[in-house]
Amino acid sequence: MSKKVFPQKKAVTKIQAVIIAVIIVVAVVLGWFLIKPPAPAEEKVGVFAWVGSDVWVFWDPGETFSNEISILNSVYEGLTHWDSVSKTVKPLLATSWSVSEDVMHWTFHLREGVKFHCGHKFNASTVKYSIERNIEGGKGASYIWACVDNIEILDEYTVRFNLQYPAPLDVIACAGYCSHPYCPICTEEHGHDWFYEGHDLGTGPYYVEKYDKAEELVVLRKFDDYWGGWTGKEFDKVLMYAIPAASTVRMMLENGEVFLVDHLPFEMVKDMEKNPKIRIQTAPSWQNMFGLLNTQEPSPLSNKLLRKAISYAVPYEVCCSEIRYGYATQSHGIIPAGILGHSDTLPQYNYNLTKARELLAQAGYPDGEDLEPLVLTYNAGDEDERKFAEIYKAELAKIGVTLDIKAMTWTAQMAKAAGPPEERQDIFLFYWWPDYPDPYSWMLSMFHSVAPEDIVFECAYYDNPYYDDLIDEAYKVTGIDPAKAQEMYEEAQRILIEDAAALFIYDWTYVRPMRVELKGYIDNPAYPNAFNLYDMYWEEK
Amino acid sequence: MLKCLKEKRIAQLKELQLALHLIKKGPLTLTGLIIMGLLILVAIFAPYIAPYPQDALGAASPENKFELPSREHLFGTDELGRDIFSRVLFGTRISFKIAIVVVLLALLIGLPLGVIGGFLGGKIDELIMRLTDIFLSFPSVLLALIICVILGPSIDNVMIAIAISWWPWYTRIAHAQAVSIRERPFIEAAKAVGISKTKIIFRHIMPNSLTPVLVQATMDLGSVLLTSSALSFLGLGAQPPQPEWGLMTYIGHGYLFTSWWCSTFPGLAIFVAALAFNLLGDGLRDVLDPRTRRLLR
């Protein structure tokens, strides 16, 4: 019996294997195409840079007072908004408002359908809560609400401010700092420190997604439920870097890694003007540089004629053209153009050394004889101030006056200025810009008389009761009669100019280097260095 | 007596010959010496050599700013239109003044302390040396920085600050020398004769401890220059418009990308002067080191 041998059966033949493999490949490819999710629309990312470090200082909306508004002004919104084109107050979270005849009661009608980034509803009680919390906290620029006596809720979307004294509350509500309503529920729940971790509770078009303190990077994302709506052109995500080295930022801008920079040194700006991919946009600012002159004994500058003499020794035009490369104009008084109180008709000191010598002789110091060296302090590291100091020293030397220049840290400079009169400086170089679109802060903060122990910025030590009354009155009538206020502020400035209480040097022009493809950026001097992210978009040629 | 004097003179001449021979043998020492000589001449005659002396004394002509190096302005002009060449020349005066004054001040404090401690020993020595240790435990630049911040920014304060952080080194060296010298027979002899301690310290110990301290001091001139420049670079030293090299380098570094010459030339001046001081110090050590002398004899 022979054993039947069955041929061994292969599990799969070669041909079958090939067929199976082909089927699997086809299935996978088909499956990929059928199941594949639709490609997400490409995210529009805007990248911005700030030259410097420690830019975002205050995160609690009740404490803001610094450069954090560069981004937070797109995260929070106020009741009103300053329109830099029409130079008027425009509605924002308030749709309309009215004021009583005595300017003591302001009623704001609020916008309906507005949500905070946390999802809670915006209404009158949130306005009352936020502003009262700011006043109680007393931090940052919260002093702007000092005129408010109490806040009444008339109905869900109407709120009334009762004041202690007449004040232009619609203008105050425009402020870039400490003026924004935020969600009371979440503020109570999370507390103050939570904001500093990089959170927000605003109503603005963008919310803070991430704050990387080590990298100095803030990431903002668009708020889908924003009441203003979205056209689709805006950035979905915004990256904001703070980088200390200007040269690095310049390279990033030229390579297209950054779209807009808050500022770059003028030498670099001039150099980049040739680059067709870069646009240099300029705009008037409300920031000015001046030198406060010590009007009190024992400073030799307590002599008014001497103050006038040295005012004629400032080469104003050279300062504008050489220090700021033409991006500045000589000041007319202390209030810059575009704000109540400014007037081009105010007298200016011009550069006239003959006149300076005459006045110097009249002051009792012919050719500077017997005059001890004048001490000028400036903030160490500020190139513009240093250049001014050196140019001014050279000019004063021509009329026989010696100037001692002292570069100091800001704190040391302030301590010296508030110290005993014999240790104070004679000239204090200074910048100022307002916290809300009103001239009172210039007139008050530097020139109103104060008790010696209360000196902060009053480093001209100016003491003129008539001037004090004039500006206090002007502040009160601003809300009722702006024309009258204008007249009074002009008169107050004429007094300052006649008394030569300061060297009125120049008003800045903002200079922003940006990519040509970036559209919609507008400088609003009421919100210095704040990027209007909601209006900006990228447009390839 | 006359013979004795003659012998002394011959010995001195031999010393001088040996020193010159050593200097000639090391071309680096010679280079250091030549640069130093030139720098001293520049420091003395700066007002006559500088093409625009007024630019170093505070004048400003901002309309001529950032001009490239040319025949009119060898090193170009700075951000206020001043001739950098003239300013660098005048800067030599400030730098030399700082280096020499600081080292002298530090020697004045450090040398007597070290010698007194080393000779007397005991509790006084302990006190002096522990104090020295405390000062040495701080990095000298950091200590100078702190003192400068407290005193306020100015060249005089920089000199005081660096001197305060510098003297302990000399105390250490002088102390070590004094300890070895006090055991020598001639000191024993002086003691036996009844010469007062003060006289022994200042007439015998100190002159004999001087050599290594002097060598160190010469070498330190360069380091002092670098430290003072660093403090000025940080805004704690010279004040504008003084033509101090460190300050000029600091101000110029802001314009490095557009105008390289503003900080390059003052920086090079610091480099050259520090190098010259160091080469000279090295050479001096060779000249005064008994081992090298023995080899040559």
Side-chain angles (χ1 to χ4, degrees):
Chain A
M1 202 173 131
S2 63
K3 204 175 178 184
K4 200 171 178 183
V5 178
F6 292 98
Q8 226 172 3
K9 202 177 173 184
K10 280 186 184 166
V12 184
T13 62
K14 265 188 186 168
I15 298 168
Q16 281 172 326
V18 171
I19 291 170
I20 290 169
V22 169
I23 289 171
I24 290 172
V25 170
V26 169
V28 167
V29 172
L30 271 179
W32 168 257
F33 277 105
L34 291 174
I35 305 163
K36 194 184 84 164
E42 207 176 301
E43 209 174 44
K44 293 189 199 71
V45 183
V47 192
F48 302 86
W50 184 285
V51 178
S53 53
D54 287 334
V55 178
W56 303 291
V57 187
F58 305 111
W59 283 87
D60 187 322
E63 296 176 359
T64 51
F65 208 6
S66 188
N67 291 325
E68 62 278 344
I69 71 159
S70 56
I71 45 165
L72 291 188
N73 256 35
S74 298
V75 170
Y76 293 96
E77 293 171 312
L79 295 180
T80 56
H81 179 77
W82 179 264
D83 186 77
S84 57
V85 181
S86 66
K87 296 185 177 114
T88 51
V89 180
K90 296 275 178 182
L92 196 59
L93 286 181
T95 49
S96 63
W97 54 91
S98 56
V99 58
S100 66
E101 262 183 38
D102 58 359
V103 200
M104 292 287 279
H105 308 279
W106 289 81
T107 310
F108 288 86
H109 303 281
L110 306 179
R111 194 177 292 281
E112 294 181 30
V114 177
K115 270 188 194 170
F116 291 108
H117 296 154
C118 54
H120 293 110
K121 211 163 67 174
F122 163 79
N123 56 25
S125 67
T126 62
V127 173
K128 180 177 161 69
Y129 171 86
S130 319
I131 292 166
E132 282 178 353
R133 180 176 175 269
N134 293 1
I135 296 171
E136 274 166 34
K139 290 190 177 161
S142 59
Y143 79 90
I144 59 171
W145 301 107
C147 56
V148 176
D149 184 40
N150 64 69
I151 303 169
E152 271 180 81
I153 298 171
L154 300 185
D155 64 49
E156 195 178 0
Y157 290 103
T158 313
V159 65
R160 179 193 287 158
F161 291 77
N162 299 312
L163 309 188
Q164 298 173 29
Y165 48 85
L169 207 71
D170 55 340
V171 180
I172 293 174
C174 283
Y177 316 95
C178 283
S179 65
H180 310 124
Y182 43 92
C183 174
I185 302 164
C186 296
T187 305
E188 288 301 312
E189 190 185 327
H190 300 299
H192 160 274
D193 293 343
W194 180 79
F195 286 112
Y196 281 80
E197 290 162 18
H199 299 285
D200 80 271
L201 291 170
T203 58
Y206 290 90
Y207 65 93
V208 182
E209 186 176 72
K210 188 178 129 192
Y211 168 43
D212 188 333
K213 202 172 177 182
E215 264 211 55
E216 292 226 52
L217 162 69
V218 179
V219 182
L220 303 181
R221 188 167 284 281
K222 78 170 193 186
F223 178 49
D224 289 328
D225 289 341
Y226 180 55
W227 61 267
W230 296 93
T231 62
K233 280 200 299 188
E234 302 87 352
F235 294 115
D236 300 305
K237 185 176 170 184
V238 169
L239 304 180
M240 179 82 181
Y241 288 95
I243 302 167
S247 43
T248 314
V249 179
R250 178 195 171 166
M251 272 194 283
M252 290 173 81
L253 183 70
E254 292 195 301
N255 294 341
E257 293 162 54
V258 155
F259 301 172
L260 167 67
V261 188
D262 75 301
H263 83 283
L264 280 176
F266 298 122
E267 300 76 34
M268 288 188 187
V269 172
K270 284 282 163 200
D271 221 30
M272 283 196 301
E273 277 175 355
K274 295 163 245 160
N275 187 338
K277 290 178 180 160
I278 305 293
R279 180 172 70 240
I280 309 291
Q281 192 168 309
T282 60
S285 85
W286 287 349
Q287 185 161 352
N288 51 4
M289 181 167 94
F290 43 89
L292 294 172
L293 302 180
N294 187 340
T295 57
Q296 295 297 321
E297 296 276 358
S299 168
L301 292 185
S302 54
N303 182 334
K304 182 169 136 184
L305 287 170
L306 182 58
R307 294 201 298 271
K308 284 189 154 188
I310 65 165
S311 296
Y312 280 107
V314 178
Y316 297 94
E317 278 176 27
V318 171
C319 290
C320 294
S321 64
E322 303 303 329
I323 299 177
R324 287 195 59 88
Y325 286 67
Y327 297 122
T329 45
Q330 187 189 342
S331 302
H332 283 273
I334 195 72
I335 301 169
I339 196 161
L340 181 81
H342 172 84
S343 169
D344 284 342
T345 61
L346 289 173
Q348 284 178 316
Y349 287 93
N350 54 351
Y351 173 58
N352 185 342
L353 291 184
T354 321
K355 186 111 191 194
R357 279 192 199 97
E358 274 172 34
L359 283 161
L360 195 62
Q362 284 174 31
Y365 304 103
D367 295 324
E369 270 174 39
D370 302 330
L371 179 61
E372 55 192 90
L374 300 175
V375 175
L376 176 147
T377 62
Y378 76 94
N379 191 11
D382 188 308
E383 267 298 275
D384 286 3
E385 288 189 350
R386 181 189 64 80
K387 285 183 190 169
F388 172 80
E390 292 201 37
I391 293 174
Y392 193 40
K393 182 184 169 81
E395 293 300 333
L396 285 178
K398 290 179 190 167
I399 58 166
V401 177
T402 312
L403 186 71
D404 271 354
I405 303 173
K406 291 204 186 305
M408 303 176 91
T409 60
W410 177 245
T411 352
Q413 207 186 349
M414 295 300 290
K416 188 178 175 67
E422 59 281 4
E423 285 174 23
R424 291 173 187 163
Q425 76 296 327
D426 300 307
I427 305 170
F428 189 124
L429 284 189
F430 214 83
Y431 295 110
W432 194 262
W433 59 96
D435 301 325
Y436 59 90
D438 189 87
Y440 189 57
S441 79
W442 271 284
M443 311 300 275
L444 171 81
S445 308
M446 269 79 63
F447 301 106
H448 201 286
S449 60
V450 281
E453 63 273 17
D454 295 331
I455 288 172
V456 186
F457 300 129
E458 294 84 353
C459 305
Y461 317 104
Y462 188 64
D463 187 2
N464 181 343
Y466 178 73
Y467 168 88
D468 292 352
D469 292 345
L470 193 63
I471 62 161
D472 290 344
E473 191 56 32
Y475 178 66
K476 286 176 190 162
V477 303
T478 302
I480 328 165
D481 189 351
K484 174 88 183 151
Q486 170 76 27
E487 248 175 61
M488 295 170 96
Y489 280 128
E490 277 186 37
E491 192 194 339
Q493 287 182 90
R494 276 179 212 280
I495 295 172
L496 292 180
I497 296 165
E498 170 54 29
D499 280 349
L503 305 170
F504 304 98
I505 308 168
Y506 54 55
D507 300 347
W508 275 22
T509 301
Y510 285 132
V511 186
R512 314 284 187 198
M514 61 185 81
R515 298 288 301 187
V516 282
E517 299 94 333
L518 185 74
K519 308 285 177 199
Y521 177 76
I522 297 169
D523 255 304
N524 187 334
Y527 308 103
N529 308 316
F531 291 180
N532 54 327
L533 299 175
Y534 184 55
D535 306 319
M536 281 193 265
Y537 57 95
W538 185 260
E539 194 177 79
E540 295 279 357
K541 271 186 187 169
Chain B
M1 187 71 185
L2 200 69
K3 199 181 163 196
C4 181
L5 268 178
K6 213 173 178 183
E7 268 176 13
K8 205 174 174 186
R9 175 71 55 81
I10 290 167
Q12 276 177 348
L13 278 173
K14 265 191 180 170
E15 281 289 305
L16 198 68
Q17 256 181 332
L18 185 66
L20 283 175
H21 176 68
L22 279 167
I23 289 170
K24 264 193 229 160
K25 252 194 98 117
L28 285 179
T29 315
L30 199 64
T31 319
L33 206 63
I34 291 170
I35 300 175
M36 188 57 56
L38 283 176
L39 287 177
I40 291 171
L41 285 179
V42 165
I44 296 169
F45 298 108
Y48 307 102
I49 313 168
Y52 304 92
Q54 72 282 4
D55 284 6
L57 304 169
S61 44
E63 54 284 357
N64 302 329
K65 63 182 182 293
F66 298 127
E67 280 181 19
L68 267 162
S70 63
R71 267 193 197 172
E72 286 82 48
H73 303 285
L74 278 181
F75 293 173
T77 64
D78 68 5
E79 75 290 347
L80 290 171
R82 298 173 298 202
D83 181 50
I84 295 176
F85 180 61
S86 304
R87 287 173 64 76
V88 167
L89 292 187
F90 270 83
T92 321
R93 293 179 152 199
I94 299 179
S95 300
F96 268 63
K97 183 180 143 195
I98 295 177
I100 292 166
V101 169
V102 167
V103 169
L104 279 182
L105 267 179
L107 273 177
L108 225 62
I109 310 170
L111 187 64
L113 279 180
V115 172
I116 292 169
F119 178 69
L120 295 179
K123 278 188 180 162
I124 295 178
D125 188 27
E126 275 295 306
L127 187 75
I128 291 174
M129 291 325 285
R130 293 301 79 78
L131 192 72
T132 312
D133 287 343
I134 293 171
F135 272 87
L136 282 178
S137 62
F138 285 99
S140 59
V141 175
L142 184 69
L143 188 63
L145 205 87
I146 295 167
I147 299 168
C148 260
V149 169
I150 296 168
L151 295 179
S154 83
I155 286 193
D156 292 344
N157 291 343
V158 159
M159 292 196 284
I160 295 170
I162 305 178
I164 290 177
S165 64
W166 221 268
W167 65 267
W169 299 102
Y170 302 137
T171 310
R172 268 286 172 90
I173 299 168
H175 180 264
Q177 281 295 110
V179 167
S180 77
I181 292 167
R182 75 169 176 206
E183 307 298 337
R184 302 260 179 92
F186 72 95
I187 300 291
E188 292 291 325
K191 273 186 195 167
V193 175
I195 295 176
S196 73
K197 279 184 181 171
T198 330
K199 214 168 180 183
I200 295 178
I201 291 175
F202 290 102
R203 289 290 294 276
H204 299 286
I205 307 261
M206 201 183 274
N208 283 296
S209 317
L210 208 58
T211 313
V213 180
L214 272 186
V215 171
Q216 185 61 38
T218 319
M219 303 250 282
D220 280 355
L221 287 170
S223 315
V224 167
L225 180 64
L226 288 178
T227 311
S228 74
S229 298
L231 291 176
S232 290
F233 188 90
L234 295 173
L236 292 166
Q239 291 293 296
Q242 283 173 315
E244 204 274 337
W245 294 340
L247 181 67
M248 287 166 73
T249 313
Y250 167 68
I251 290 171
H253 100 284
Y255 309 105
L256 204 58
F257 266 73
T258 44
S259 316
W260 56 268
W261 55 92
C262 289
S263 62
T264 307
F265 291 110
L268 275 176
I270 297 174
F271 167 73
V272 170
L275 185 73
F277 279 128
N278 268 0
L279 291 179
L280 201 67
D282 254 354
L284 203 61
R285 192 189 51 202
D286 287 345
V287 172
L288 297 172
D289 188 350
R291 273 169 297 180
T292 17
R293 291 157 156 264
R294 217 172 293 140
L295 283 176
L296 280 162
R297 269 178 216 268

